[in-house]
Amino acid sequence: MSFFPDEVIIEVLARLPIKPLFKTRAVCKLWYGLPSDKYFVKLYNQVSDKNPMVLVEVHDSTKPNSSLICVDNSRGVSEFSLDFLRDKVNIRASCNGLLCCSSIAVKGVYYVCNPMTREFKVLPKIKDQNLTRFYPDSEATLVGLACDPSRGKFDVVLAGYQCAGSSRRPDKTFACLIFDSDSNKWRKFVSFQEEIFTHMNRNQVVYVNGALHWLTGSGSYILVLDLNFEVWRKVSVPDETRYGTGNRVYLLESDGCLSLIEISDTWMKIWVMKDYERELWHMVDRVSLGCIKGLVHGIFPIAQTGECVFLATHKQVLVYHRTSRAWKEMYSVQNNATLPLWFSAHAFRTSIFPCE
């Protein structure tokens, strides 16, 4: 390896998966220190940004615990576990290589972990749990994870309508609990609003520009939580998707920008917000769904870049390559899955991000 300059070696190592990268630490002193070197960590995360993945929890009726499948466009399919948490958990949110998980056994216990490095943090237990996601129906709390690699910190957001008294009936008071990794504390603020969140956006909260974004039930606008100022605001959607087309609309991230994917019986349209301040949307692609016609009604977009889109069906994960306009099946579940894959699929990417 002495024939190559250190700069070239670092560029090569920045393109390794996490596990092989950590194994190379035994080679020499330089390589040993790379995972904690600020320049290398930044480079590694920048390279990983261009390679999105889909993380799927596969629930098998014959097994007590679900398995985790990582679908990678360039490296294929791999399986891993969250057994290092030593708790049975649900994955509630994913952002820049970190996962936010809630304990199934103990309510109010949340973890933030990096499944690739197997580091994790147990968040302080929440005492105020009387939050419900839907008004007036009682559903799970809305969860968001905001991981900012440039600042080396993360925030966890729990949001919902407060339940009044012992009846646990929600009122119109919308409360937010925010965990700040710098202070290691939760803080709370409340507002008053009537928003209906879509059932399908459970896994599709999007973190861009220092804010978390959720699509509302009507699809007529996006509700935004600005974490810097702790205020809620609204962002417009493209006029073409707003006015009652009857098509399904999903909120995703694309290369650091907000993106909407609209699916009809025959077409998939991809919109990207090119100018966040002026809320200017551009349709960047229009894809015929003719070659997957039999799957259209049960297909849901999960993750994307400017080059490809990952979508999940009941039992498959597909990728659409926008340049070649080719479809490819990346994964198909073979067991007795009790839940459709789209219900438990998350956008994911590897990162070297300490969460301890």
Side-chain angles (χ1 to χ4, degrees):
M1 296 298 289
S2 60
F3 293 104
F4 298 97
D6 288 346
E7 293 80 4
V8 175
I9 295 174
I10 288 173
E11 288 286 342
V12 173
L13 293 176
R15 285 155 176 80
L16 288 179
I18 290 282
K19 289 182 181 179
L21 173 65
F22 275 66
K23 288 181 180 179
T24 64
R25 298 177 73 187
V27 173
C28 64
K29 187 176 181 180
L30 170 65
W31 292 18
Y32 182 85
L34 286 179
S36 56
D37 179 79
K38 289 184 178 179
Y39 172 79
F40 181 79
V41 169
K42 182 179 180 181
L43 175 63
Y44 189 93
N45 292 339
Q46 287 175 342
V47 172
S48 296
D49 281 346
K50 301 175 183 177
N51 185 36
M53 309 173 189
V54 171
L55 185 67
V56 183
E57 291 181 272
V58 180
H59 301 268
D60 188 339
S61 59
T62 64
K63 298 179 181 179
N65 297 319
S66 60
S67 56
L68 292 175
I69 303 297
C70 187
V71 182
D72 184 330
N73 185 37
S74 60
R75 303 187 184 108
V77 177
S78 59
E79 186 173 351
F80 64 94
S81 170
L82 298 180
D83 57 359
F84 58 91
L85 295 178
R86 298 182 180 179
D87 192 1
K88 192 172 182 179
V89 298
N90 284 325
I91 299 175
R92 302 300 304 275
S94 170
C95 183
N96 290 328
L98 297 188
L99 300 177
C100 177
C101 306
S102 62
S103 172
I104 295 175
V106 185
K107 289 185 178 181
V109 172
Y110 287 84
Y111 304 86
V112 171
C113 68
N114 186 325
M116 295 304 177
T117 63
R118 298 174 70 86
E119 295 179 337
F120 70 95
K121 180 178 182 62
V122 184
L123 307 189
K125 189 175 180 180
I126 302 166
K127 296 179 181 179
D128 186 354
Q129 300 177 38
N130 293 328
L131 295 178
T132 180
R133 179 178 166 204
F134 291 98
Y135 176 82
D137 303 312
S138 180
E139 293 287 345
T141 305
L142 206 64
V143 179
L145 174 63
C147 169
D148 189 341
S150 65
R151 298 170 61 192
K153 65 165 292 185
F154 64 85
D155 297 283
V156 175
V157 173
L158 308 181
Y161 295 95
Q162 292 191 139
C163 295
S166 58
S167 67
R168 298 193 61 80
R169 292 180 61 84
D171 58 25
K172 295 181 182 180
T173 304
F174 198 76
C176 256
L177 296 171
I178 302 176
F179 175 82
D180 185 319
S181 63
D182 284 345
S183 65
N184 197 40
K185 293 180 180 179
W186 293 92
R187 61 185 186 273
K188 181 179 179 180
F189 75 95
V190 298
S191 58
F192 298 92
Q193 55 190 337
E194 289 189 59
E195 308 296 350
I196 306 299
F197 296 97
T198 66
H199 290 264
M200 268 310 302
N201 74 8
R202 181 178 74 95
N203 300 333
Q204 291 189 312
V205 53
V206 175
Y207 176 65
V208 297
N209 292 330
L212 291 167
H213 303 73
W214 286 272
L215 190 65
T216 53
S218 63
S220 58
Y221 58 88
I222 298 163
L223 196 64
V224 183
L225 174 59
D226 190 318
L227 292 168
N228 295 320
F229 300 100
E230 295 187 2
V231 294
W232 290 94
R233 56 187 175 84
K234 297 177 181 179
V235 165
S236 64
V237 297
D239 290 341
E240 290 85 344
T241 69
R242 183 187 308 166
Y243 298 116
T245 61
N247 298 334
R248 294 179 286 147
V249 182
Y250 303 92
L251 183 66
L252 282 81
E253 180 260 354
S254 178
D255 297 330
C257 299
L258 276 182
S259 176
L260 277 179
I261 293 185
E262 179 186 9
I263 296 181
S264 69
D265 290 341
T266 54
W267 294 95
M268 176 173 70
K269 297 179 181 179
I270 302 175
W271 302 81
V272 174
M273 183 177 278
K274 297 289 190 179
D275 190 325
Y276 189 81
E277 296 299 323
R278 296 164 60 193
E279 300 183 13
L280 296 180
W281 292 92
H282 297 270
M283 188 172 71
V284 296
D285 209 348
R286 187 172 184 262
V287 182
S288 172
L289 300 179
C291 46
I292 59 164
K293 187 175 180 180
L295 301 174
V296 170
H297 293 290
I299 199 165
F300 299 87
I302 305 299
Q304 67 169 332
T305 66
E307 299 177 356
C308 64
V309 183
F310 286 93
L311 306 100
T313 69
H314 191 97
K315 289 184 175 291
Q316 298 164 292
V317 175
L318 309 176
V319 63
Y320 172 74
H321 296 276
R322 292 176 56 190
T323 302
S324 63
R325 297 200 168 271
W327 292 87
K328 182 180 179 181
E329 180 185 286
M330 295 295 298
Y331 173 73
S332 178
V333 66
Q334 302 296 328
N335 58 21
N336 301 310
T338 57
L339 293 173
L341 293 186
W342 53 256
F343 184 81
S344 55
H346 307 259
F348 185 71
R349 61 193 57 178
T350 57
S351 72
I352 305 175
F353 192 101
C355 53
E356 294 180 322

